[in-house]
Amino acid sequence: MSEFEDNLHRRLEQAERAVCLAVERQDDYGAEVHRADLANLRRLAGEHGVAVTRPEEG
């Protein structure tokens, strides 16, 4: 796995955790911001052929 893929996977995990944390804190705005970041990272992964999993979001 390349450094790009490693970094992308790490950023995806961070964004997923941020969404979960915002949902737990009932921070609707924060959750939407992190979901948008997650969507952008998934788009970037798709554009570069990097496989990603899509866990359930809160």
Side-chain angles (χ1 to χ4, degrees):
M1 187 177 296
S2 72
E3 185 176 342
F4 173 76
E5 289 175 284
D6 285 339
N7 187 37
L8 187 55
H9 283 285
R10 189 171 21 263
R11 291 179 60 197
L12 282 159
E13 289 172 7
Q14 291 170 346
E16 289 165 355
R17 283 193 304 268
V19 169
C20 290
L21 185 58
V23 169
E24 287 174 13
R25 293 180 175 172
Q26 297 180 347
D27 178 2
D28 294 335
Y29 175 75
E32 286 305 312
V33 168
H34 294 299
R35 282 187 184 111
D37 186 35
L38 194 51
N40 285 330
L41 290 168
R42 288 177 177 154
R43 179 192 48 76
L44 182 64
E47 289 175 358
H48 291 276
V50 177
V52 297
T53 58
R54 295 182 69 99
E56 291 297 316
E57 295 177 8

